[in-house]
Amino acid sequence: MEETLRAAGAGAGGTRNISGNSHVHLMLEQELADLHGREAALIFTSGYVANDAALSTLARELPGIVVFSDAYNHASMIAGIRNSRAEKYIFRHNDPADLARCLDRVPAGRPKLVCFESVYSMDGDIAPIGELCDVADRFGAMTYLDEVHAVGLYGPRGGGIAERDGVMHRPTVIQGTLGKALGTIGGYIAGSAALVDFLRSHAPGFIFTTSLPPALAAGALAAIRHLKASSAERDLHQRRAATLKRRLAEAGLPVMPSPSHIVPVLIGDPVLCKAVCDELLQRHRIYVQPINYPTVPRGTERLRLTPTPLHSDADIEALVVGLSDVWTQLTLRRAS
Ligand code: PLP
């Protein structure tokens, strides 16, 4: 990043088409295409912009298209689908049978696009990608998979849950962020060369905005290359999450079951949720984010814990002891 900063300066200086393109942008796109086993990739200034731009453009430009969206999809996918003004159906979260019912309602000849995520960030649950793609294939639908919470974190090379589950070749489009596991900022989609060229030529969110600063692109590039070659961080991360879940459960704290690194602790009341976080900060100097409505449905307010690979046993212990103390102080219910 430092070398690129010195060579290219702080900003890209323009849009990708008008002087804001560089060698490092193209190398990053090649690296991303390779990460997901696709012909091509296209970078955007954030994961949000990638979803909004790609979905709104695809669903606006393909005549007669119908979009099928998982009920828990992220706001950026919802924004893209809404902005396209395409006809849409919401299918039940992670439910291939309900997706099939929705697809069955639409005439066979119309183009269809099914949109879902791999790891859902508020519950930490994981989509049955292969099954959803099976259903989509049966109805001749394209698929769009958001791997924002999985890129770098899952799969032998960090390609996400689709790579881990051996189904990386299935979705038509894979979308991700450079801002979470990869540590900088930016977003992208990966797909066929024709689809990427189509979005490059038609997506206003790609065309009419200054491109990613080259130094940030260089940072993401280095992170992807490192995580393709090293699983040490991923292994440690999973072990830290497992330890945290076990220790919370042993302390009788209501940790919600999750198969991922996301560890939600149910509180079920917005005022108490905020109070737990305030007490934890004031009494134990630990900062945890309260997650309240509208981010999660009312009555499911929660703390959302996500350990990093570098949290130690002592860090985890301090959190569990602190939370346990706050639980007692606020007379909250323990899990049986
Ligand atoms: N998709 C999902 C599922 C997300 O949770 C987020 C949140 O950050 C985004 C997309 C947006 O990504 P970015 O932060 O890179 O804009």
Side-chain angles (χ1 to χ4, degrees):
M1 288 182 78
E2 284 185 16
E3 277 168 24
T4 310
L5 182 63
R6 289 207 173 89
T15 67
R16 282 297 288 284
N17 294 328
I18 306 177
S19 81
N21 194 21
S22 78
H23 190 54
V24 72
H25 289 106
L26 294 172
M27 286 202 299
L28 177 58
E29 285 176 341
Q30 271 172 20
E31 201 69 46
L32 287 164
D34 173 78
L35 178 67
H36 294 292
R38 290 297 185 282
E39 286 173 348
L42 195 64
I43 49 179
F44 296 82
T45 44
S46 74
Y48 188 105
V49 172
N51 272 338
D52 186 20
L55 286 171
S56 63
T57 304
L58 278 174
R60 191 178 47 242
E61 300 286 335
L62 295 177
I65 195 167
V66 184
V67 180
F68 301 82
S69 178
D70 186 287
Y72 285 13
N73 272 346
H74 186 255
S76 53
M77 297 171 88
I78 295 170
I81 295 164
R82 273 212 187 115
N83 289 339
S84 76
R85 302 191 179 175
E87 184 180 334
K88 66 167 186 289
Y89 289 82
I90 313 293
F91 62 94
R92 277 210 296 269
H93 176 54
N94 277 352
D95 187 341
D98 195 48
L99 171 63
R101 275 191 289 275
C102 292
L103 282 160
D104 205 24
R105 283 193 227 148
V106 174
R110 289 184 70 178
K112 303 175 188 74
L113 178 64
V114 178
C115 309
F116 55 99
E117 302 176 24
S118 57
V119 175
Y120 284 83
S121 70
M122 291 303 147
D123 293 310
D125 57 337
I126 293 178
I129 298 172
E131 285 174 61
L132 290 168
C133 288
D134 286 345
V135 173
D137 285 356
R138 230 167 63 220
F139 289 88
M142 295 180 287
T143 43
Y144 183 105
L145 173 65
D146 174 320
E147 288 257 35
V148 157
H149 291 278
V151 166
L153 301 175
Y154 293 88
R157 296 199 313 158
I161 296 290
E163 186 192 23
R164 184 197 73 173
D165 292 355
V167 290
M168 200 164 69
H169 58 292
R170 306 279 314 266
T172 314
V173 182
I174 295 182
Q175 179 271 355
T177 184
L178 309 176
K180 296 190 189 293
L182 303 177
T184 62
I185 192 168
Y188 63 89
I189 57 103
S192 69
L195 185 134
V196 166
D197 272 345
F198 174 75
L199 289 176
R200 194 198 319 280
S201 312
H202 289 275
F206 174 82
I207 299 168
F208 299 107
T209 189
T210 303
S211 64
L212 214 58
L216 291 170
L221 184 61
I224 297 163
R225 285 181 175 163
H226 174 76
L227 288 171
K228 273 181 180 171
S230 168
S231 284
E233 294 82 1
R234 279 186 287 278
D235 294 345
L236 202 51
H237 193 217
Q238 290 301 313
R239 288 209 297 276
R240 297 290 70 199
T243 302
L244 176 60
K245 287 177 199 172
R246 179 175 52 76
R247 287 296 300 120
L248 289 166
E250 283 167 1
L253 295 162
V255 57
M256 296 164 72
S258 113
S260 71
H261 60 284
I262 293 167
V263 184
V265 177
L266 185 66
I267 296 187
D269 178 283
V271 177
L272 285 174
C273 194
K274 175 79 166 60
V276 167
C277 297
D278 289 346
E279 290 299 315
L280 199 60
L281 184 60
Q282 271 157 30
R283 291 161 67 96
H284 298 280
R285 315 301 301 157
I286 297 174
Y287 175 64
V288 168
Q289 184 81 47
I291 309 282
N292 282 342
Y293 176 84
T295 311
V296 294
R298 287 186 215 276
T300 70
E301 293 81 2
R302 66 196 67 176
L303 311 179
R304 194 187 56 160
L305 310 172
T306 46
T308 74
L310 298 183
H311 279 112
S312 65
D313 282 344
D315 292 329
I316 291 178
E317 217 41 47
L319 172 63
V320 173
V321 167
L323 266 182
S324 215
D325 171 56
V326 171
W327 235 253
T328 305
Q329 194 212 345
L330 296 175
T331 60
L332 296 176
R333 217 155 11 107
R334 303 256 169 184
S336 56

